[in-house]
Amino acid sequence: MVKPDNFLVWSILSTVLCSPIFGIVAIVYAAKVDSHWYAGRHAESIDAAKKAKLWTFISVGTGIVFTIIYTIIFTFVFSSYTVW
């Protein structure tokens, strides 16, 4: 049986670059993967890896959505100003 990827690097990057709230949840699950695996609880390790991946994608998705919303609002606010 092969140890699942813990997604720790991706979780940290999504925390720093996208959404800190959801990224922290991803980091917590990513940290559990190795500890469960080496304790012999392989099913829990696989479950934690799936949850870490899910929360990493949620963090990236919310970061993208908020960036798009911010860009739209920023564009409309500053497009209404005219330079004389």
Side-chain angles (χ1 to χ4, degrees), residues 13-64:
L13 287 174
S14 70
T15 302
V16 172
L17 299 174
C18 298
S19 175
I21 296 170
F22 298 126
I24 290 172
V25 176
I27 289 173
V28 169
Y29 281 117
K32 290 181 181 181
V33 173
D34 289 337
S35 63
H36 286 317
W37 184 263
Y38 293 121
R41 299 187 304 258
H42 300 294
E44 292 176 19
S45 176
I46 292 169
D47 185 51
K50 288 179 182 177
K51 288 180 181 178
K53 184 178 181 180
L54 172 72
W55 283 103
T56 300
F57 285 141
I58 290 172
S59 175
V60 171
T62 55
I64 290 170

Side-chain angles (χ1 to χ4, degrees), residues 56-72:
T56 300
F57 285 141
I58 290 172
S59 175
V60 171
T62 55
I64 290 170
V65 167
F66 282 126
T67 302
I68 291 170
I69 291 171
Y70 178 79
T71 303
I72 290 170

